[in-house]
Amino acid sequence: EIFCLNLDNVFNLFTIFSLIKIIRRYSIGIIHTHLPTADFLGAISARLSGRRKVISSIYGMNFLPLTYTGVERIRKLVLSSCYRLIYLMFDRLISVSHAVKIDLIKRPGIKVNAGKVTVINNPGDTRIYKSYITRKQVSCAIEYDIGVFANFYKIPVLKNI
């Protein structure tokens, strides 16, 4: 069965209550989310529907404020903190690389427990993408200085089908 829900607004109470109803109706025991909106709605709905296992797959360094200044930098820092608060509701976080895991556990602000994070690398040869990455992106990552970025090229998403 397929359910179509409005994901335009993470604060849409109708969507949250619809998810709670679906979770309870089908006795869903594990909620596995992908991407920020699903993470927020899934975690809140799972917890409000009763104790469920909640897992998120994390594909990138969400809301990383490296190259931003002024108001946009402050916005990214606030979003980063809010997003990390949501991670506290998850039982397990699946990271697609060791670099993403290190970002999760070492980024300034709200820390994610390293014991919650499991690395499952995306399949595929990422070396073929190096030509698409700019030098500026790599230097920004090195400036972030958490120790793993010198030879790291970030691939936003490699989707498993």
Side-chain angles (χ1 to χ4, degrees):
E1 197 166 346
I2 296 172
F3 301 94
C4 295
L5 302 171
N6 180 356
L7 300 180
D8 291 338
N9 181 350
V10 295
F11 301 108
N12 184 333
L13 293 178
F14 179 76
T15 301
I16 292 171
F17 288 120
S18 295
L19 281 169
I20 291 169
K21 184 178 173 182
I22 292 166
I23 291 167
R24 287 181 176 161
R25 182 175 172 199
Y26 292 94
S27 301
I28 296 171
I30 299 172
I31 312 298
H32 185 177
T33 64
H34 300 258
L35 304 174
T37 301
D39 289 346
F40 181 82
L41 293 170
I44 297 292
S45 300
R47 295 303 181 214
L48 290 176
S49 67
R51 185 77 178 137
R52 307 280 195 258
K53 292 290 181 187
V54 189
I55 301 166
S56 176
S57 288
I58 302 163
Y59 298 93
M61 298 168 199
N62 299 314
F63 308 114
L64 189 62
L66 288 177
T67 60
Y68 298 95
T69 59
V71 174
E72 188 59 22
R73 181 174 177 77
I74 292 167
R75 182 179 162 279
K76 292 285 186 182
L77 289 168
V78 169
L79 285 171
S80 175
S81 294
C82 291
Y83 199 47
R84 283 161 186 278
L85 277 173
I86 295 299
Y87 286 153
L88 299 179
M89 289 193 273
F90 283 86
D91 297 296
R92 177 71 57 194
L93 301 170
I94 299 171
S95 165
V96 298
S97 71
H98 288 285
V100 171
K101 178 180 180 175
I102 290 170
D103 176 58
L104 286 168
I105 62 178
K106 291 194 175 184
R107 186 186 298 185
I110 297 167
K111 304 284 187 227
V112 173
N113 180 341
K116 275 188 175 185
V117 184
T118 300
V119 175
I120 301 177
N121 291 302
N122 267 320
D125 185 355
T126 57
R127 291 175 294 181
I128 64 173
Y129 296 100
K130 282 187 179 182
S131 61
Y132 297 107
I133 306 299
T134 67
R135 203 133 178 82
K136 183 175 181 177
Q137 288 171 309
V138 175
S139 353
C140 289
I142 292 168
E143 287 170 18
Y144 189 53
D145 194 25
I146 59 174
V148 297
F149 289 102
N151 296 314
F152 173 67
Y153 289 89
K154 181 180 175 192
I155 306 305
V157 175
L158 290 176
K159 181 67 178 156
N160 299 338
I161 298 179

